[in-house]
Amino acid sequence: MPTEESKKRYSSADLLEFKELILKKLDSARKELEYARGVLKRKDGNGSEPEGLPGNMKPLEDSMDTLEKEQLSQLASHHQKFIDNLELALERIRMGTYGICVDTGELIPKERLRLVPHTLHSIRAKLEKD
């Protein structure tokens, strides 16, 4: 019986397991992206000044709002990139190339794929790049 390292592709059952994992992560990431975008939208639409705020406090509040918007925007961007990568992983499953390191041609260990299901690189290849 071939070992995981000597196999060239994952079985249909393995690919189904990874597909289910990716779909769960995709659903969660889409919800988080939707939440971040919703918060950003509310912040963009809320331009009113709070009552009783001293004039010299307004620039500080504006700076804090700007920082928070930037952080939310970065978070939304991160989620979008993660979603894109997960969708590409689903495409690799459909094409039958999922789990194959693009650098070495070896199978990426299942443990790594379970932790980082969108990865294109084995640990060995990643360490050699860094």
Side-chain angles (χ1 to χ4, degrees), residues 98-117:
Y98 181 80
I100 302 170
C101 177
V102 295
D103 296 317
T104 65
E106 300 170 347
L107 277 184
I108 300 168
K110 288 181 183 182
E111 298 77 25
R112 175 155 170 75
L113 291 171
R114 286 183 184 119
L115 292 173
V116 188

Side-chain angles (χ1 to χ4, degrees), residues 6-28:
S6 67
K7 292 189 329 184
K8 297 290 183 200
R9 298 188 187 278
Y10 281 109
S11 70
S12 295
D14 289 332
L15 292 176
L16 182 60
E17 173 193 341
F18 292 126
K19 182 178 180 179
E20 289 172 1
L21 173 68
I22 290 168
L23 288 173
K24 285 179 188 173
K25 287 187 178 283
L26 198 50
D27 183 54
S28 177

Side-chain angles (χ1 to χ4, degrees), residues 11 14 23 25 32-33 39 48 52 55 62 70 74 77 79 81 90 96 107 112 128:
S11 70
D14 289 332
L23 288 173
K25 287 187 178 283
E32 290 174 22
L33 175 61
V39 172
S48 62
D62 288 345
E70 286 176 15
Q74 288 175 352
S77 177
H79 283 307
K81 184 177 178 182
L90 286 175
L107 277 184
R112 175 155 170 75
E128 287 175 3

